[in-house]
Structures are given as C-alpha cells and as structure tokens.
C-alpha cells in the first residue's frame, strides 16, 4: 500500500511538467508550428482558394518584385513606420520626463489621460477618426481653424497627400501614451543616487540627462523602438476601416492590406504566404539592424 | 562635507534657479493640462456625439444642450446589437480563460521544473515570437477550412487558445516564487497540481490580473482573423459588425458613434478594475529584461 503510494507520488511529480505544458504544446504545434512550416510550402504554390494548388517555384516572389502595388505598399508602410516611430518616441520620452519630475501634481490623472486612447481598439479608433477627419464638420479641422485660422475644407481622407499624415497623427494619438508608460517605468528605475553623485560633480541638468538618464533608460528605449517598428510594419485595421480600403491612389495600401486583398479577396493563399514571408524578412532585418545600431548586444548598456 | 556646502550654497548662489523653481512647475503643469485636453478631446467628442440628435451632431462641437437617446434607438432597431455584444463577450472571455489557463500552467512548468525538451521548446517559442502573425493567416485559413470550421467560433478559439507572450510573462513572475514555498506544500502532501492551484495561482495574482486585461483587450479588439473566418451575421463580433454597419448606414453617424462608445466600455471597465496590475505587468518584462 505505502509502496504503491510512494511510486504514485514520484510518478505524478515526474509527469507534472509534461502535463502542464501539454495543452500549450498541442495547440502551439497544430496552430503555429505546423501552419508556419506549411506557409513555407504554400509560398511556392499558385492556389485558387484553399483546395487547389500548383507548384510554381519562385514565381510568387518574382511576380511580387514586378508588381507596382507591392512597391506602393512597401513604400507606404515604410514611410508610416519611419514617421510614427520617430515622432512617437521623442514625444513619449518628453511626456515621461515631464511626469517624472518629483513635484508634479496629479501624476496618475495625466498618466491615465495619455494612456487611455490605447484601450480603444484600432477598428473603433478608425470609426471615431473617420468623423474627426471630416471636412467642415470634423473636430480636427475645427480645432485647426480655431487655433491657426486654417480653412475648414481640408479633405484629410480624400487627398492622397494627406492620408499618410492622417494615419500618422491617429497612431500618434493611440500609442504616445502607451510608450510613455514604458519610459516612465524606466525613468523611475534609474538610481536616484546617480543623480546626486552627478550633482556633486557639478554636472548641469543637460549633462545629467546625457550621462545618467540616457544610459539608464537605453535598454527600454531600444525595446520600445523595436516593438513600435514591428507594430507599425503590421499596420492594417486603421487604414482598412478608416478609408474602407487602400485609399485614394493606393495612398493607404499597406503590406498587410496587400496580403489580405490578394489572399482573401482574390483567393491566392500561396501568394499571400509569399507576402507574409517577405514581411517576416523585412521585420527581422530592420529589428536586427536597429539592435545593432543601438548597441543592444554591447556589454556596457 | 563638500556635498553639504554645495547644497547649502546653491539657492543663495543662484537666485535665477530659485525663480525658475517657481515658474517651471507652473509651465510644466500648463503644458501637461493642454496635452491631456488634446488627448481626451476625441473621446469626449465621442461621448457627446453618441447623445446628440442628427441635427445637433455637427452644429455643436461638443455637447448639445438637448441630449437624446435617438442614436441608441436607431442602433438597436437596425441591428441585433445585444447579439453582437453577447458574441464579443463570449469569444473574448473564452479566449481569455483559455490563454490564462494554458499560459499559467506552461509558465509554471517552464519556471520550476527541469524536463526533457524544455530548452528546445523555449527556443522555438522565442523564435515564433519574432515572426509577425500575418504569415500564419493563409496556412491557418487552409487548415481551419480543411477541418470544416470556417464560420464557427472554433476558428477563433482553437488558434487563439495559447499566447507565447503570456507564457513568458507567467514564467518570469513564477521564477520569483521561492522554491521553499513549493517544497513546504509538497511536505504537506500537495500534489503538483494542487501546488499550482493553491500556491502558484494565488501568489501570481498581480500577473493574472495584468494578463487578463492584456488577453481580453487583444481578443475584444481583434479584427483581421475574425473578418476572414466569420461569414454569418449572427456570429459577428462587435468590430466586424460595426465595420459592416459603416457600409450599410454611412449616414447614421450618431448611431455609429453610439455603437463605438458601447464597444469601448467593457475594456474601459476592466481597465478601471485592473489598472494597477496591468501597468505593472506591462513593463515588468521590459524592465527586468
């Protein structure tokens, strides 16, 4: 009896970790690893709907290189990423620095105010901003008119040159407070004694920022840069709902929208997989480059 | 000594800075208030718009002096909104529970046990985290179609049942739990599952709170995958249904804004409950690196 019991206890202890990871591993293998491997195979197929497929070698990739829509999508996505990352980060850091001052009152209120847009999903933001960008009646034109005297008839969503600024502005609203939370956490983790030591050494505010703050928050800053770049490259919902498609002159066509249109409107899953892998390569290359340039792997960060 | 003298001298030696000390906070608070107003303006506008009559919608920039429920009546008359809300609540809660369960169990195993295949599993998990999910759309669609699950909730629940990010969050938080606590449980005769249920889960409560919101928000706002696999209107979740309404009633601005406001409320409510855990959990992974 007690022998039995001991072997049972030893057995359940040995089996426990396998049972604990099993649900995850089963789903992970069926719906992530397998589709991932399958998508490599699919990328070399011509498909018409999910049932029929023919091996076409590198044709999908060669077609992509010659398809002007792909280049438009790539250009739009890259411009969006560049502007949204480079506008968001300094603004997020600036907000975090302001809020981090010891004498700031109502820190929690401001934190919530800046963060709250992040709670609204991209589809809902797009619905809301489709009215905010309206000519004549929209909140944005009214605000610009009231503050700068700009005319009320700016057609943000109908003018190919203004679509991208509208998207960047909207994403700025959505993510500036979200990134600020990361910077704020990083700033609060910087050792206060370092500032005192710098002050004793006669360092100015600017020197303190450069030699204490910047190195202190660098790991998080790199993390935020890479995360927002990856997120920006995946832009889809916002333009898809805001402009009900690729917008005037394809000015809001993004890589994921291009993938969605070819894969699920036209029904070529093979081509959609090929686009997916090109997106993977672009994102990996850009994030590795960012990690290298910012010295993420140097010992002294 | 040196330090004390400098501290004592500074205010006297630098009267300009002393004045700056009074002006600067005033300026900073002014800037912060202005920025907060700009950030909150669209949301405030949304709340006002949901309660304005069509004539008032653009007549008053913000609130109208004659608030009305007109938009809500239009919204609920034209569309089975309760159905959409129930659909969204069901799918999002189910996904959240599934992800919580699988992530906390797997996170526990990866944090506190040595077992065969642990290292390769973690390597593959981290590798898939680097890969954007869109590459999975076509093959997963093919798989779901092959299983005959298109236009069912299984198409949402099966692929969405696990979150690699969630496992990493749970593993990191469970690593902090002292081993002595688990051994004490074992001496008291707890099975490994009881240790998970009665020790690990209770001490991971902050992470459970944070991840509940992360998972719920992700599921609630999810659009691309449901848009691909759901076809019947009675299965639509709120994002899909609202995007559909734009095409159907493009002139019913007010009703659309009422629907948008309604769709934001559940996440806002959950956030109000869990904000402390959420904000701490969000940054914990990054700060500890």
């Amino acid at each position: 009896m007690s022998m039995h019991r001991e072997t049972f206890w030893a057995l359940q202890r040995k089996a426990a970790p396998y049972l604990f990871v099993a649900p995850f591993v089963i789903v992970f293998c069926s719906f992530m690893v397998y589709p991932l491997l399958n998508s490599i195979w699919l990328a070399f197929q011509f498909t018409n709907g999910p049932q029929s497929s023919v091996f076409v070698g590198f044709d999908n990739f060669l077609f992509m290189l010659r398809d002007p829509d792909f280049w438009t999508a790539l250009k739009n996505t890259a411009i969006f990423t560049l502007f949204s990352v480079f506008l968001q980060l300094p603004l997020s850091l600036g907000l975090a620095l302001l809020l981090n001052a010891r004498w700031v009152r109502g820190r929690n209120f401001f934190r919530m105010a800046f963060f709250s847009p992040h709670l609204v999903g991209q589809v809902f933001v797009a619905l809301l901003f489709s009215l905010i960008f309206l000519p004549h009646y929209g909140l944005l034109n009214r605000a610009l008119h009231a503050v700068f005297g700009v005319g009320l008839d700016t057609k943000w969503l109908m003018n190919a040159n203004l679509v991208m600024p509208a998207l960047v502005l909207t994403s700025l609203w959505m993510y500036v407070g979200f990134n600020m939370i990361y910077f704020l956490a990083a700033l609060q983790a910087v050792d206060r004694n370092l500032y005192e030591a710098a002050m004793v050494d006669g360092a100015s505010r600017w020197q303190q920022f450069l030699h204490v703050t910047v190195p202190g928050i660098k790991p998080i800053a790199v993390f935020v840069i890479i995360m927002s770049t990856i997120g920006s490259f995946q832009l889809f919902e916002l333009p898809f709902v805001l402009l009900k498609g690729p917008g005037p002159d394809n000015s809001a066509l993004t890589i994921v929208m291009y993938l969605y249109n070819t894969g699920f409107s036209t029904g070529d899953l093979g081509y959609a997989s090929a686009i997916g892998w090109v997106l993977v390569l672009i994102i990996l290359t850009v994030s590795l480059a960012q990690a290298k340039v910012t010295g993420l792997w140097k010992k002294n960060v | 000594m040196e330090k004390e003298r400098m501290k004592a001298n500074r205010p006297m030696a630098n009267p300009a800075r002393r004045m700056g000390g009074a002006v600067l906070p005033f300026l900073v608070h002014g800037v912060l208030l202005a920025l907060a107003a700009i950030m909150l303006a669209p949301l405030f506008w949304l709340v006002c718009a949901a309660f304005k009559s069509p004539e008032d919608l653009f007549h008053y920039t913000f609130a109208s002096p004659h608030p009305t429920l007109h938009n809500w009546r239009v919204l609920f008359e034209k569309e089975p909104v309760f159905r959409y809300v129930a659909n969204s609540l069901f799918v999002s809660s189910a996904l959240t529970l599934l992800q919580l369960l699988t992530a906390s169990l797997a996170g526990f195993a990866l944090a506190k046990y040595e077992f065969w295949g642990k290292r390769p599993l973690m390597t593959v998990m981290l590798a898939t985290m680097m890969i954007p999910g869109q590459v999975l759309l076509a093959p997963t669609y093919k798989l779901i179609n092959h299983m005959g699950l298109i236009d069912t909730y299984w198409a949402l629940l099966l692929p969405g049942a696990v979150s690699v990010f969630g496992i990493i969050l749970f593993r990191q938080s469970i690593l902090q739990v002292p081993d002595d606590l688990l051994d004490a449980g074992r001496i008291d005769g707890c099975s490994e599952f009881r240790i998970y249920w009665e020790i690990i889960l209770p001490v991971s409560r902050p992470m459970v709170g944070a991840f509940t919101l992360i998972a719920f928000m992700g599921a609630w706002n999810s659009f691309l995958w449901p848009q691909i696999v759901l076809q019947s209107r009675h299965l639509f979740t709120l994002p899909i249904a609202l995007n559909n309404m734009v095409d159907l009633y493009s002139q019913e601005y007010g009703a659309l804004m009422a629907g948008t406001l309604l769709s934001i409320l559940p996440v806002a409510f959950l956030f109000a409950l869990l904000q402390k855990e959420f904000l701490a959990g969000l940054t914990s992974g990054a700060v500890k690196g």
Side-chain angles (χ1 to χ4, degrees):
Chain A
M1 181 70 190
S2 92
M3 264 289 278
H4 245 81
R5 209 170 202 177
E6 255 158 50
T7 42
F8 170 75
W9 280 106
L11 199 70
Q12 70 91 23
R13 208 177 155 180
K14 254 205 139 81
Y18 297 101
L19 293 174
F20 291 166
V21 292
F24 163 69
V25 169
I26 292 168
V27 177
F28 181 67
C29 289
S30 338
F31 292 99
M32 255 186 219
V33 179
Y34 168 70
L36 205 56
L37 297 176
N38 195 230
S39 76
I40 300 176
W41 177 82
L42 261 177
F44 296 97
Q45 308 283 322
F46 172 78
T47 62
N48 192 358
Q51 304 295 351
S52 71
S53 54
V54 187
F55 181 77
V56 290
F58 282 93
D59 274 9
N60 284 331
F61 297 96
L62 294 175
F63 179 81
M64 208 182 304
L65 292 179
R66 278 181 277 119
D67 185 0
D69 282 358
F70 168 72
W71 293 104
T72 308
L74 182 59
K75 192 191 85 192
N76 289 341
T77 314
I79 290 176
F80 172 80
T81 304
L82 200 72
F83 278 97
S84 48
V85 172
F86 280 98
L87 282 174
Q88 259 170 48
L89 292 180
L91 283 172
S92 304
L93 179 57
L95 282 180
L97 283 168
L98 289 184
L99 279 189
N100 195 43
R102 234 179 291 186
W103 36 260
V104 162
R105 302 272 159 156
R107 183 177 292 127
N108 281 337
F109 164 75
F110 287 121
R111 209 167 60 155
M112 284 307 109
F114 298 141
F115 180 79
S116 55
H118 183 71
L119 296 173
V120 187
Q122 279 202 29
V123 171
F124 308 126
V125 170
L127 286 169
L128 170 58
F129 275 69
S130 65
L131 296 194
I132 287 183
F133 285 125
L134 277 181
H136 299 292
Y137 309 115
L139 187 58
L140 180 63
N141 277 343
R142 285 195 175 182
L144 291 176
H145 181 74
V147 179
F148 302 106
V150 186
L152 279 166
D153 55 352
T154 314
K155 296 181 179 64
W156 292 96
L157 304 178
M158 283 167 258
N159 180 339
N161 294 319
L162 293 178
V163 164
M164 195 47 75
L167 290 176
V168 170
L169 198 67
T170 313
S171 89
L172 198 64
W173 181 75
M174 287 182 75
Y175 294 112
V176 85
F178 178 68
N179 290 330
M180 176 203 74
I181 298 284
Y182 284 97
F183 283 123
L184 203 53
L187 288 172
Q188 283 166 354
V190 176
D191 190 354
R192 294 250 178 217
N193 293 326
L194 290 177
Y195 289 108
E196 289 207 349
M199 271 203 288
V200 171
D201 289 345
S204 69
R205 277 265 172 94
W206 175 244
Q207 285 170 323
Q208 286 176 36
F209 176 74
L210 225 55
H211 299 293
V212 180
T213 313
V214 169
I217 63 170
K218 196 173 165 186
I220 284 219
V222 174
F223 172 81
V224 170
I225 291 175
I226 293 180
M227 292 314 286
S228 40
T229 306
I230 293 178
S232 302
F233 262 106
Q234 301 178 345
L235 180 71
F236 170 75
E237 276 98 336
L238 193 59
F240 186 78
V241 178
L242 193 57
L243 296 140
K244 303 184 188 96
D249 292 337
N250 277 347
S251 52
L253 182 70
T254 67
I255 298 179
V256 176
M257 199 190 290
Y258 181 61
L259 185 156
Y260 174 84
N261 287 343
T262 52
F264 299 97
S265 299
T266 323
D268 191 349
L269 295 179
Y271 192 53
S273 295
I275 301 167
W277 277 103
V278 168
L279 180 65
V280 170
L281 285 181
I282 293 171
I283 286 182
L284 281 184
T285 313
V286 172
S287 7
L288 288 180
Q290 284 173 333
K292 202 168 166 67
V293 168
T294 50
L296 183 64
W297 290 311
K298 279 190 206 142
K299 289 256 162 60
N300 59 351
V301 285
Chain B
M1 179 67 193
E2 176 78 16
K3 192 173 161 185
E4 253 160 41
R5 208 182 56 205
M6 280 195 63
K7 266 190 177 163
N9 279 348
R10 213 187 318 117
M12 297 246 274
N14 196 345
R17 174 169 270 183
R18 206 175 170 190
M19 254 192 33
V23 174
L24 188 72
F26 186 72
L27 232 126
V28 166
H29 283 99
V31 170
L32 282 173
L33 276 172
L35 290 172
I38 293 174
M39 294 297 281
L40 291 175
L43 293 174
F44 180 60
W45 186 87
L46 172 67
V47 176
C48 295
F51 295 99
K52 277 192 280 192
S53 67
E55 305 82 60
D56 284 358
L57 181 56
F58 295 119
H59 191 261
Y60 301 96
T61 305
F62 288 103
S64 134
H66 323 289
T68 163
L69 290 176
H70 170 84
N71 299 320
W72 300 86
R73 264 191 305 263
V74 173
L75 179 71
F76 279 84
E77 270 165 23
K78 294 206 169 183
E79 289 284 323
V81 179
F82 283 119
R83 175 94 212 191
Y84 299 147
V85 172
N87 290 346
S88 267
L89 278 176
F90 169 73
V91 170
S92 309
S93 315
L95 281 173
T96 305
L97 276 177
L98 284 168
Q99 288 186 12
L100 262 180
L101 195 70
T102 54
S104 57
L105 274 171
F108 176 34
L110 291 172
K112 291 295 179 192
Y113 295 90
E114 286 307 322
F115 57 93
W116 182 84
K118 179 175 162 179
R119 293 285 137 204
L121 179 65
M122 292 199 34
T123 312
V124 176
M125 279 169 56
L126 288 175
T128 56
M129 265 194 86
M130 299 281 175
I131 293 178
Q134 288 84 4
V135 76
L136 294 171
L137 290 174
T140 313
Y141 177 78
K142 201 167 163 267
L143 178 66
I144 290 289
N145 184 66
H146 185 72
M147 296 166 81
L149 299 177
I150 294 290
D151 206 25
T152 67
Y153 281 154
W154 294 111
L156 304 181
L157 298 182
L158 285 175
V162 299
S163 155
V164 174
F165 177 64
I167 294 178
I168 289 169
L169 284 182
F170 271 102
R171 178 176 173 268
Q172 264 183 348
S173 93
I174 294 172
L175 276 174
Q176 324 276 329
V177 180
D179 285 334
D180 296 348
L181 202 60
L182 309 186
D183 286 332
R186 284 182 189 119
I187 289 165
D188 288 346
C190 285
S191 69
E192 301 302 305
F193 185 78
R194 258 186 78 187
I195 289 175
Y196 160 77
W197 193 254
E198 284 178 16
I199 299 175
I200 293 294
L201 272 188
V203 300
S204 318
R205 253 184 82 166
M207 188 48 77
V208 171
F211 187 67
T212 298
L213 187 64
I214 292 174
F216 190 86
M217 245 173 85
W220 185 266
N221 294 331
S222 163
F223 176 74
L224 179 50
W225 180 244
Q227 168 82 6
I228 289 171
V229 293
L230 297 182
Q231 291 153 357
S232 310
R233 271 176 50 147
H234 71 273
L235 292 179
F236 279 2
T237 55
L238 279 166
I240 313 293
L242 275 173
N243 179 48
N244 230 32
M245 281 184 230
V246 175
D247 301 327
L248 294 175
Y249 328 107
S250 53
Q251 294 314 308
E252 301 280 2
Y253 290 135
L256 277 176
M257 289 304 102
T260 306
L261 178 60
L262 180 73
S263 307
I264 295 173
L265 289 178
V267 172
F269 175 72
L270 203 58
F271 178 75
L273 282 180
L274 297 170
Q275 53 162 302
K276 233 177 96 189
E277 288 86 351
F278 176 67
L279 293 176
L282 199 66
T283 47
S284 71
V287 178
K288 279 167 203 152

